[in-house]
Amino acid sequence: MAVDNLVIGGQSIAPGESVKIELEMPPLYTATNMSIPVYVTRGKRPGPTMFVSAAIHGDELNGIEIVGRLIRSRAIERLRGTLIAVPMVNVYGVLNQSRYLPDRRDLNRSFPGSKKGSLAGRLANLFLKEIVQKCDVGIDLHTGAIHRSNLPQIRADLDDPEVLEMAKAFGVPVLLNAELREGSLRETASESGVKILLYEAGQALRYDEFSIRAGLRGIINTMRHLGMLNKSRSKGHSIERFIARQSGWIRATESGFVTHLAQLGDHVNKGDKLATIADPFGGYLASIESPAEGVVVGKQNIPLTQEGEAVYHIAYFSQPDTVAEHVELLQDNLLPGETDNT
């Protein structure tokens, strides 16, 4: 989408320019003005237009740091095309350290929204019209929900050949073929012809260095794949990509206190004990076991659980042991000398 005259928030940005824009949102009830911070940098040479967004859920902070590092990175100095970086979409949620908006709605279930709808609908419509629909591709950055961690992974429509190649270029081992959810940014962007990757890594309200480094490198890898940046020689061990077309959450069969035995990135076999559950006196109540061979891509962190609560997210691959090996290789490349990615 080569555009000579790109306009965002009423401000025109010409090729070769870099600007910071405050995209006006509805004010707080204290009459405090609110805005979405947007950074736009345009290369002098033509190329794709990409957005990178973070904190659509206001408690998912890893992406804010990833976007900040991307903006400061020397890698984007010789850009072709346009990069639109949005460190915080749900600014209200960030202020309140909350996943949701003040109207208690999930912004990522409120697209495409409308100018005359709820607060969530208005914000979704603003972001869609001013940012997303002006792009060819996008990368949306997420973490696990509160008290949950996710292994670095890409979720996308891997049946789309262009999206699949972008996902592979990103460079993390785990690729999940994820269905489009009603009201999500991915669904609405797809309907507008915008190719989207969703990066999941880390946990809410925390920075995780492994997740941040993997995300930053993945965005730059994707930009190189799209021709927005020059190719570079790869460093470190080669990381293979593995597609999971099925995954599932393993739930607690009892309420109690959890001792975790399996961690993110672990290869587990059918029947492996993932955790134990005890009563308040330390008495054994139950074990949580893997129903099939796979890799742990998400887990609950808090050592408390209610019966029926999701505790482990397992992705199923044809070669799960090899996936786990390449997760370790990625960690070794990004955090040399460190062994704990949780």
Side-chain angles (χ1 to χ4, degrees):
M1 191 179 293
V3 180
D4 289 335
N5 185 34
L6 177 65
V7 179
I8 296 177
Q11 184 168 341
S12 180
I13 311 101
E17 289 187 335
S18 297
V19 298
K20 294 177 181 177
I21 298 170
E22 298 295 328
L23 197 57
E24 185 178 348
M25 302 187 302
L28 299 178
Y29 47 69
T30 57
T32 303
N33 291 329
M34 298 290 290
S35 61
I36 299 174
V38 179
Y39 176 81
V40 183
T41 183
R42 305 196 66 193
K44 293 181 180 179
R45 295 172 292 176
T49 300
M50 170 193 275
F51 77 85
V52 178
S53 59
I56 275 185
H57 295 132
D59 60 355
E60 298 182 353
L61 307 183
N62 267 343
I64 299 174
E65 178 64 10
I66 292 171
V67 171
R69 293 189 192 185
L70 177 65
I71 291 169
R72 300 191 302 271
S73 172
R74 294 183 61 184
I76 67 170
E77 290 177 358
R78 302 184 67 182
L79 176 71
R80 287 184 289 271
T82 299
L83 172 66
I84 304 174
V86 187
M88 290 180 284
V89 181
N90 181 3
V91 180
Y92 304 104
V94 174
L95 286 172
N96 292 313
Q97 300 176 23
S98 169
R99 179 180 180 89
Y100 303 107
L101 286 157
D103 62 1
R104 300 182 299 282
R105 299 190 186 195
D106 185 336
L107 180 58
N108 206 28
R109 297 293 180 270
S110 301
F111 287 92
S114 86
K115 289 183 178 181
K116 297 182 179 181
S118 66
L119 175 62
R122 293 177 189 221
L123 182 55
N125 184 259
L126 174 69
F127 183 62
L128 179 66
K129 299 294 186 184
E130 290 285 352
I131 305 295
V132 177
Q133 291 182 341
K134 297 177 181 179
C135 296
D136 303 293
V137 297
I139 300 178
D140 190 28
L141 307 174
H142 288 261
T143 75
I146 192 72
H147 304 314
R148 289 181 181 171
S149 292
N150 282 332
L151 186 75
Q153 60 195 259
I154 287 293
R155 300 181 184 180
D157 176 11
L158 303 180
D159 292 325
D160 182 318
E162 291 181 48
V163 174
L164 176 60
E165 291 307 309
M166 285 172 55
K168 288 179 177 178
F170 194 93
V172 294
V174 174
L175 311 179
L176 295 184
N177 192 50
E179 294 181 357
L180 297 174
R181 294 192 176 184
E182 185 176 357
S184 69
L185 170 61
R186 269 204 314 131
E187 180 193 57
T188 303
S190 178
E191 291 172 352
S192 299
V194 184
K195 308 294 186 180
I196 296 286
L197 299 182
L198 190 152
Y199 175 63
E200 282 274 5
Q203 61 179 308
L205 298 176
R206 298 289 185 274
Y207 278 177
D208 175 73
E209 189 63 23
F210 176 45
S211 299
I212 291 167
R213 292 188 189 185
L216 176 61
R217 190 172 77 164
I219 294 167
I220 292 172
N221 286 345
T222 306
M223 293 176 74
R224 287 178 175 144
H225 164 73
L226 294 169
M228 299 177 72
L229 302 175
N230 291 331
K231 303 287 184 181
S232 71
R233 293 182 179 180
S234 60
K235 298 178 181 179
H237 297 285
S238 177
I239 305 298
E240 292 187 33
R241 285 65 158 171
F242 302 88
I243 297 173
R245 294 192 173 272
Q246 286 187 318
S247 68
W249 280 94
I250 313 306
R251 299 182 181 276
T253 56
E254 298 280 352
S255 300
F257 296 80
V258 180
T259 298
H260 288 280
L261 304 175
Q263 302 300 329
L264 290 179
D266 283 358
H267 166 226
V268 296
N269 289 300
K270 182 177 181 178
D272 279 358
K273 189 181 294 185
L274 307 178
T276 59
I277 303 173
D279 65 24
F281 303 101
Y284 173 85
L285 292 175
S287 296
I288 300 174
E289 296 181 352
S290 179
E293 186 180 14
V295 174
V296 178
V297 296
K299 65 180 286 288
Q300 178 179 285
N301 295 326
I302 190 169
L304 308 171
T305 192
Q306 292 292 138
E307 182 179 331
E309 189 171 9
V311 182
Y312 283 96
H313 188 195
I314 309 293
Y316 306 113
F317 301 87
S318 59
Q319 296 175 293
D321 54 339
T322 308
V323 178
E325 290 174 9
H326 282 265
V327 169
E328 292 181 7
L329 280 177
L330 178 64
Q331 184 177 355
D332 289 342
N333 286 350
L334 296 177
L335 297 174
E338 299 185 30
T339 58
D340 183 7
N341 67 355
T342 61

